[in-house]
């Protein structure tokens, strides 16, 4: 017989809910996100003030939509992370 603990763990593992983990780049907080609407994923960003809001209220700014890019270019793009270029010293 399955225990209540087993059932709760299974429920969590099968849940579609996720926590948007972020990385800070300058003044923005970036997140790579996948879901049923974004199978290949989107790269998005927001301010710290926005990130502190309840998840459903965060106003993310779209940086890159891998699904849309692939469709537009007829390619099967896959996200392998980000590489930032050093723009040199600030003026």
């Amino acid at each position: 017989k399955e225990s209540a603990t087993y059932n709760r763990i299974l429920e969590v593992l099968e849940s579609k809910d996720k926590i948007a983990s972020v990385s800070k780049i300058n003044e923005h907080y970036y997140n790579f996100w996948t879901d049923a609407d974004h199978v290949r994923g989107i790269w998005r960003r927001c301010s710290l003030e926005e990130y502190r809001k309840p998840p459903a209220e965060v106003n993310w700014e779209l940086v890159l939509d891998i699904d849309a890019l692939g469709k537009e270019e007829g390619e099967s793009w896959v996200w392998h992370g980000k590489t930032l270029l050093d723009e040199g010293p600030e003026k």
Side-chain angles (χ1 to χ4, degrees):
K1 182 178 175 184
E2 297 170 356
S3 69
T5 301
Y6 172 87
N7 289 331
R8 178 63 183 133
I9 291 170
L10 185 60
E11 178 185 336
V12 169
L13 292 174
E14 292 178 341
S15 173
K16 300 289 186 212
D17 297 332
K18 298 187 288 183
I19 297 173
S21 62
V22 294
S23 58
K24 186 175 188 299
I25 303 172
N26 297 323
E27 73 275 0
H28 290 98
Y29 291 78
Y30 288 79
N31 166 261
F32 184 75
W33 187 260
T34 59
D35 59 23
D37 295 326
H38 307 98
V39 177
R40 298 216 176 251
I42 55 174
W43 194 31
R44 59 193 188 167
R45 71 183 187 177
C46 68
S47 66
L48 179 58
E49 181 180 341
E50 282 294 318
Y51 186 69
R52 288 181 171 161
K53 292 180 180 179
E57 297 176 18
V58 176
N59 183 25
W60 290 99
E61 177 186 351
L62 181 65
V63 177
L64 179 64
D65 184 332
I66 304 297
D67 299 280
L69 180 65
K71 185 176 181 180
E72 180 181 314
E73 296 185 349
E75 295 288 340
S76 181
W77 294 113
V78 178
W79 178 261
H80 287 286
K82 64 187 179 309
T83 301
L84 303 176
L85 300 176
D86 183 355
E87 297 177 1
E90 292 185 31
K91 295 179 182 182

